[in-house]
């Protein structure tokens, strides 16, 4: 089954945008600015104008003479674009498979035998019809449910392009006394094709439901940027999030149509004091889930102090292909990276951006030397390759070392060669039974401000375990840990 949606008199409704009471009066659009010209004709009418006997194509001077209260309005192309977008928005909420047959008519693939309830989706006065073929649904929504009694010229005008062949066929059918579509469908199809050609047979197949075709699926443009200038400034976060949710709904529909996912969002807020704020929001696990995307934006906006009310906003996205990777059996990974990133953003808002990060050991022999990477680097860390370890990892002992944090400062009696002999204090004072060393370590020796040198010994205490004793010249001794 196929569902057809039609917005009658779309250009005229765009011209009366914001004037709900004007639709009760005779209204029309003309194809020329000079209403008194002979070539000026009416191109669109409302039902109130049709009650005066006006029709599309009637000369404008004759229409004004027949209906003195007729108002000729100026077209508004910008409002027509908004109405078409609203019509597409309604159609995408009903079915992903749709065809833009005409600017005011859409065809959708439909799996039910009953029409949907459109009042919950839009306030536009849309007409809808269901039929087993796309063209029959199109004809039904234009001519009404009883399309068989519709005028025959409507069938020709809907499915045949204007031209000499169209005019000749219309003149021939009118000369035969055919007035309605029902009169035309009662004729035998073989005789029509033999006497009038393939166009007449094609129209006969459409009207009888024997012409089947596939929908020409609509693909949204690959422009993901959305901008909105507000009529009134926004001062609350809830109002801003409501507009952003609508932006994300449109963004998700476009990305799903192109089989893409966003890996970053770019949000720009324009304030009333002529300043703006640009936010680059990274998505740890690219997804089109609108709730997760809105939660990322909301967490960022909760920590933002706006200098003035918002008068405009822009949302853009960088996209990538959906990731399809198999989880490793022995590698522990994040179950929900987006939820983890949401928690990190909340912690950053409370503690500050510089107080949160991922610790990583630096390429140095100095103990407890590390750097704090941004939290986002956690999602970029790749698996280390064999042999791609730091240089200090090559000198690790086969015995496990239980480090003391902080190290235990002690006093040591040494030989003239600075070899330790006796511990003078600490938990295990007394002479050292065995001493192995020194193992000299240096770090950043080329920088005088950060130069560090250390000497390590493995010593057997008098009444204690095997320990690591370190010395930092000139007189700083400490027990690093126990083996």
């Amino acid at each position: 089954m196929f569902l057809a949606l039609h917005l009658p008199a779309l250009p005229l409704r765009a011209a009366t945008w914001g004037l709900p009471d004007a639709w009760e009066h005779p209204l029309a659009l003309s194809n020329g600015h000079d209403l008194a010209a002979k070539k000026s004709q009416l191109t669109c009418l409302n039902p109130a104008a049709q009650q005066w006997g006006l029709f599309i194509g009637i000369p404008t001077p004759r229409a004004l003479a027949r209906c003195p209260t007729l108002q000729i309005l100026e077209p508004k192309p910008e409002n027509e674009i908004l109405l078409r977008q609203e019509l597409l928005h309604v159609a995408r909420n009903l079915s992903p498979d749709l065809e833009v047959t005409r600017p005011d008519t859409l065809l959708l693939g439909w799996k039910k035998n009953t029409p949907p309830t459109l009042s919950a989706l839009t306030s536009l006065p849309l007409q809808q019809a269901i039929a087993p073929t796309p063209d029959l649904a199109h004809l039904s929504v234009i001519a009404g449910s009883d399309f068989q009694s519709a005028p025959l010229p409507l069938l020709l005008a809907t499915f045949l392009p204007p031209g000499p062949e169209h005019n000749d066929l219309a003149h021939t059918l009118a000369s035969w006394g055919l007035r309605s579509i029902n009169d035309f469908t009662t004729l035998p199809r073989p005789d029509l094709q033999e006497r009038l050609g393939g166009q007449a047979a094609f129209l006969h197949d459409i009207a009888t439901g024997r012409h089947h075709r596939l929908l020409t699926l609509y693909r949204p443009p690959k422009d993901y940027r959305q901008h909105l200038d507000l009529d009134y400034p926004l001062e609350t976060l809830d109002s801003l999030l409501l507009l952003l949710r609508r932006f994300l709904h449109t963004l998700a529909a476009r990305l799903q149509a192109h089989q893409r996912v966003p890996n970053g969002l770019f949000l720009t807020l324009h304030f009333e004091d002529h300043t703006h704020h640009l936010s680059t929001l990274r998505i740890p696990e690219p997804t089109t889930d609108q709730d997760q995307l809105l939660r990322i934006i909301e967490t960022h906006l909760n920590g933002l102090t706006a200098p003035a009310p918002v008068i405009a906003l822009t949302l853009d996205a960088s996209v990538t292909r959906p990731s399809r990777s198999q989880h490793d059996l022995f590698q522990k990974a994040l179950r929900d990276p987006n939820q983890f990133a949401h928690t990190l953003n909340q912690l950053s808002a409370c503690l500050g951006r510089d107080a949160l990060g991922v610790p990583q050991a630096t390429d140095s022999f100095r103990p407890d030397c590390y750097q704090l990477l941004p939290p986002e680097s956690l999602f970029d860390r790749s698996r280390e390759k064999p042999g791609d370890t730091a240089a200090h990892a090559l000198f690790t002992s086969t015995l496990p070392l239980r480090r003391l944090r902080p190290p235990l400062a002690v006093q040591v009696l040494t030989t003239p060669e600075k070899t330790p002999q006796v511990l003078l204090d600490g938990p295990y004072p007394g002479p050292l039974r065995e001493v192995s060393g020194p193992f000299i370590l240096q770090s950043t020796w080329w920088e005088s401000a950060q130069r560090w040198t250390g000497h390590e010994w493995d010593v057997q205490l008098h009444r204690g375990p095997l320990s690591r004793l370190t010395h930092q010249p000139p007189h700083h001794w400490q027990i690093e840990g126990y083996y």
Side-chain angles (χ1 to χ4, degrees):
M1 301 296 289
F2 295 89
L3 172 67
L5 299 179
H6 175 64
L7 180 59
L10 186 147
L12 190 57
R13 293 189 181 276
T16 57
W17 186 284
L19 302 174
D21 297 336
W23 201 257
E24 300 176 358
H25 306 283
L27 304 174
L29 294 180
S30 177
N31 60 354
H33 298 284
D34 187 5
L35 303 182
K38 295 182 179 181
K39 295 183 179 180
S40 178
Q41 298 178 350
L42 301 187
T43 58
C44 191
L45 301 170
N46 68 338
Q50 294 176 1
Q51 293 179 359
W52 285 81
L54 304 182
F55 54 90
I56 295 177
I58 185 175
T60 305
R62 185 185 303 176
L64 292 174
R66 184 175 298 183
C67 179
T69 59
L70 179 65
Q71 300 180 24
I72 308 297
L73 303 179
E74 291 289 336
K76 294 184 178 180
E78 63 278 5
N79 291 344
E80 294 183 22
I81 296 176
L82 295 178
L83 285 178
R84 293 171 187 172
Q85 292 177 351
E86 180 69 18
L87 185 58
L88 282 172
H89 176 72
V90 174
R92 282 198 294 261
N93 285 335
L94 296 175
S95 174
D97 301 330
L98 62 97
E99 172 187 301
V100 181
T101 309
R102 297 195 322 189
D104 57 356
T105 306
L106 303 180
L107 296 178
L108 293 78
W110 194 246
K111 298 181 180 180
K112 301 179 181 179
N113 294 324
T114 57
T117 303
L118 300 179
S119 58
L121 298 177
T122 181
S123 59
L124 297 178
L126 297 180
Q127 297 178 358
Q128 54 181 336
I130 295 179
T133 65
D135 293 326
L136 199 58
H138 184 194
L139 180 61
S140 300
V141 78
I142 297 295
S145 57
D146 187 16
F147 66 91
Q148 293 288 346
S149 59
L152 182 58
L154 180 63
L155 176 64
L156 279 68
T158 303
F159 296 101
L160 291 183
E165 296 182 357
H166 175 278
N167 297 334
D168 293 343
L169 181 60
H171 177 73
T172 302
L173 295 178
S175 64
W176 287 2
L178 303 179
R179 299 291 180 264
S180 65
I181 298 179
N182 185 40
D183 297 339
F184 178 70
T185 55
T186 55
L187 298 178
R189 182 186 182 280
D191 296 341
L192 279 175
Q193 184 173 8
E194 181 180 356
R195 300 188 62 178
L196 300 179
Q199 286 189 344
F202 171 71
L203 294 176
H204 193 277
D205 290 340
I206 290 178
T208 55
R210 286 184 293 188
H211 176 70
H212 296 269
R213 66 176 180 88
L214 298 178
L215 293 178
T216 304
L217 296 181
Y218 168 76
R219 290 293 178 255
K222 292 186 178 181
D223 181 17
Y224 306 114
R225 184 180 181 273
Q226 302 177 73
H227 178 80
L228 178 62
D229 292 320
L230 303 175
D231 296 333
Y232 302 97
L234 294 181
E235 299 182 355
T236 61
L237 180 60
D238 293 339
S239 302
L240 182 59
L241 292 177
L242 185 63
L243 294 177
L244 289 174
R245 177 178 288 276
R246 182 176 180 181
F247 275 12
L248 292 174
H249 178 81
T250 304
L251 177 64
R254 294 179 181 178
L255 292 174
Q256 290 172 1
H258 298 149
Q259 298 182 359
R260 295 293 186 269
V261 290
N263 57 4
L265 297 176
F266 306 98
L267 176 63
T268 305
L269 301 179
H270 302 270
F271 301 108
E272 200 172 19
D273 59 352
H274 303 291
T275 61
H276 69 277
H277 172 76
L278 175 61
S279 306
T280 301
L281 307 177
R282 177 173 181 151
I283 304 174
E285 186 71 19
T287 178
T288 55
D289 190 342
Q290 303 172 33
D291 294 333
Q292 292 189 7
L293 297 179
L294 184 64
R295 187 169 56 184
I296 294 175
I297 297 178
E298 182 180 4
T299 303
H300 171 75
L301 294 179
N302 283 331
L304 176 65
T305 302
V310 179
I311 59 174
L313 64 153
T314 304
L315 182 66
D316 202 353
S318 59
V319 300
T320 183
R321 294 181 181 273
S323 59
R324 295 180 177 87
S325 59
Q326 182 177 0
H327 296 286
D328 296 332
L329 182 61
F330 300 103
Q331 184 181 14
K332 186 177 181 180
L334 293 173
R335 178 174 298 179
D336 190 352
N338 289 323
Q339 177 63 35
F340 182 70
H342 176 66
T343 304
L344 291 179
N345 292 334
Q346 290 180 323
L347 291 175
S348 299
C350 297
L351 305 178
R353 194 67 177 176
D354 298 334
L356 192 67
V358 180
Q360 185 182 48
T362 58
D363 192 6
S364 173
F365 292 107
R366 187 172 184 175
D368 297 333
C369 186
Y370 67 95
Q371 61 179 348
L372 201 62
L373 301 179
E376 292 82 0
S377 61
L378 181 65
F379 307 105
D380 293 336
R381 296 176 64 184
S382 59
R383 186 186 307 168
E384 290 187 354
K385 299 179 181 179
D388 194 21
T389 57
H392 63 271
L394 300 177
F395 299 95
T396 55
S397 173
T398 57
L399 294 177
L401 176 68
R402 181 171 63 88
R403 286 186 176 271
L404 300 178
R405 284 187 169 72
L408 181 61
V410 294
Q411 293 183 1
V412 179
L413 181 63
T414 63
T415 64
E417 292 79 13
K418 298 299 183 180
T419 301
Q421 282 188 334
V422 181
L423 284 183
L424 301 181
D425 59 359
Y428 305 101
L432 301 178
R433 297 169 55 185
E434 293 184 14
V435 177
S436 177
F439 305 102
I440 302 177
L441 304 177
Q442 290 183 338
S443 176
T444 59
W445 53 267
W446 56 90
E447 297 182 6
S448 58
Q450 300 181 0
R451 185 179 303 165
W452 176 86
T453 302
H455 300 169
E456 292 185 353
W457 280 268
D458 291 336
V459 298
Q460 179 64 55
L461 302 180
H462 177 62
R463 292 183 180 180
L466 181 64
S467 306
R468 175 177 293 181
L469 187 65
T470 62
H471 174 228
Q472 295 182 10
H475 305 293
H476 187 61
W477 290 86
Q478 58 188 9
I479 297 178
E480 186 87 12
Y482 303 115
Y483 287 103

